Amino acid sequence: MCMTAPSRITSRQNPHVKEAVCLRDGHERRRQRRFIVEGVREISRAIESGVVPICAFVCEEFCTSAECIQVNEALTVTSAEIFQVTPEVYAKLAFGDRHEGIIVVAATARRGLSDLRLPDKPLIAVLEGVEKPGNVGAILRSADAAGVDAVIIADGGTDLYNPNTIRASLGTVFRQNVCEASSADTLAWVREHGISIVATRPDAKLLYTAADLRGGVAIILGSEATGLSEGWTGAGTTAVRLPMHGLADSLNVATTAAVLFYEAVRQRSQI
């Protein structure tokens, strides 16, 4: 673990480096209850959201921007152990081609439905079984921009702390209003709170603009491969679709989410 390593690491075979690299794998993230964060903006938002950094790898040759220096200073007042690494070591740690100068290993925070704090008439997004981390991250980013009050990952098809999810979300994955739960628990929780359900289905008869999104409402989005489970049907559920005028019979789930979020914003601004 990142506790007794020397202050400077020069070997790509250093055990702490190898352990951090293992966190690219979802199984290892779950086993260690840790994940890796790369990118100055993402690290900054993680710290601001209360994520607990365990250790940080800093490459002085790359950490030259004002933002990187500021994040490095913020890390020094946390309990994280900070290691100086060479560009070669940093290249092994880096996910993709980003070289912003800092990579952090952090403890996984498990937030559940009971942790959510909702206003009156909340706008909630439920992502059921969405399997592509880039889509999950993009939806989180759109939800943050549109002021969605909570995002629930139901029966998640991908790891919430996948590096691609973190990157695509621009760090909004760390917000306190994002949690994970089973679909069954989520459905029961939504109904217990008296929140209307609007489910996206390509075969729905009602256009999304005709649905009432002004009150407390949960927008349910499913996997592009399998759609929504049968729990999101029946009484108390309004199924909606987006109009499709071309050859394609559906939109990317992240695009659909953004359209619905901003339709809710439009309707709520007219109350």
Side-chain angles (χ1 to χ4, degrees):
M1 301 301 176
C2 305
M3 298 178 63
T4 60
S7 59
R8 183 168 177 81
I9 297 175
T10 59
S11 171
R12 292 163 59 96
Q13 301 307 312
N14 181 281
H16 307 294
V17 172
K18 293 170 77 172
E19 186 173 79
V21 170
C22 285
L23 294 175
R24 294 176 185 169
D25 178 73
H27 173 75
E28 281 299 310
R29 289 192 292 273
R30 290 186 291 273
R31 185 184 72 82
Q32 295 189 38
R33 296 187 62 83
R34 297 180 174 190
F35 63 97
I36 196 165
V37 190
E38 183 181 0
V40 170
R41 179 165 39 189
E42 289 85 344
I43 294 170
S44 177
R45 288 175 178 168
I47 295 172
E48 291 171 359
S49 299
V51 171
V52 179
I54 296 170
C55 62
F57 301 92
V58 181
C59 180
E60 292 182 340
E61 288 85 346
F62 298 142
C63 187
T64 57
S65 69
E67 294 82 3
C68 186
I69 293 170
Q70 184 177 14
V71 169
N72 192 16
E73 290 175 349
L75 285 166
T76 62
V77 298
T78 70
S79 60
E81 189 163 4
I82 300 175
F83 306 120
Q84 299 292 331
V85 300
T86 64
E88 292 75 22
V89 172
Y90 188 91
K92 181 172 182 177
L93 289 162
F95 185 84
D97 57 357
R98 300 176 76 180
H99 290 80
E100 296 185 28
I102 300 180
I103 293 173
V104 164
V105 171
T108 300
R110 294 297 183 191
R111 293 187 294 273
L113 295 168
S114 61
D115 297 311
L116 296 177
R117 299 293 177 264
L118 302 177
D120 292 335
K121 299 180 180 180
L123 175 60
I124 296 168
V126 177
L127 316 185
E128 184 185 57
V130 178
E131 61 276 274
K132 294 182 180 179
N135 280 339
V136 173
I139 294 171
L140 289 168
R141 183 176 174 182
S142 294
D144 179 74
V148 173
D149 296 303
V151 180
I152 303 168
I153 311 300
D155 289 344
T158 186
D159 182 354
L160 190 57
Y161 294 104
N162 182 297
N164 283 326
T165 301
I166 296 172
R167 177 184 291 195
S169 78
L170 292 184
T172 58
V173 65
F174 302 123
R175 292 195 59 181
Q176 298 292 328
N177 65 349
V178 179
C179 76
E180 297 177 276
S182 69
S183 287
D185 287 347
T186 302
L187 179 58
W189 180 87
V190 168
R191 287 178 171 165
E192 178 185 338
H193 284 77
I195 298 169
S196 300
I197 298 171
V198 173
T200 56
R201 295 185 179 278
D203 59 350
K205 295 181 179 179
L206 191 69
L207 286 177
Y208 75 101
T209 49
D212 187 353
L213 305 177
R214 296 171 296 175
V217 63
I219 296 172
I220 319 299
L221 300 139
S223 160
E224 290 182 36
T226 59
L228 293 173
S229 64
E230 290 303 311
W232 304 104
T233 58
T237 299
T238 301
V240 300
R241 64 178 174 86
L242 272 66
M244 303 295 297
H245 299 297
L247 294 175
D249 59 1
S250 66
L251 288 173
N252 174 278
V253 65
T255 301
T256 300
V259 170
L260 284 162
F261 295 163
Y262 278 97
E263 172 62 16
V265 170
R266 184 190 70 81
Q267 289 188 19
R268 287 163 178 253
S269 69
Q270 297 177 352
I271 294 178

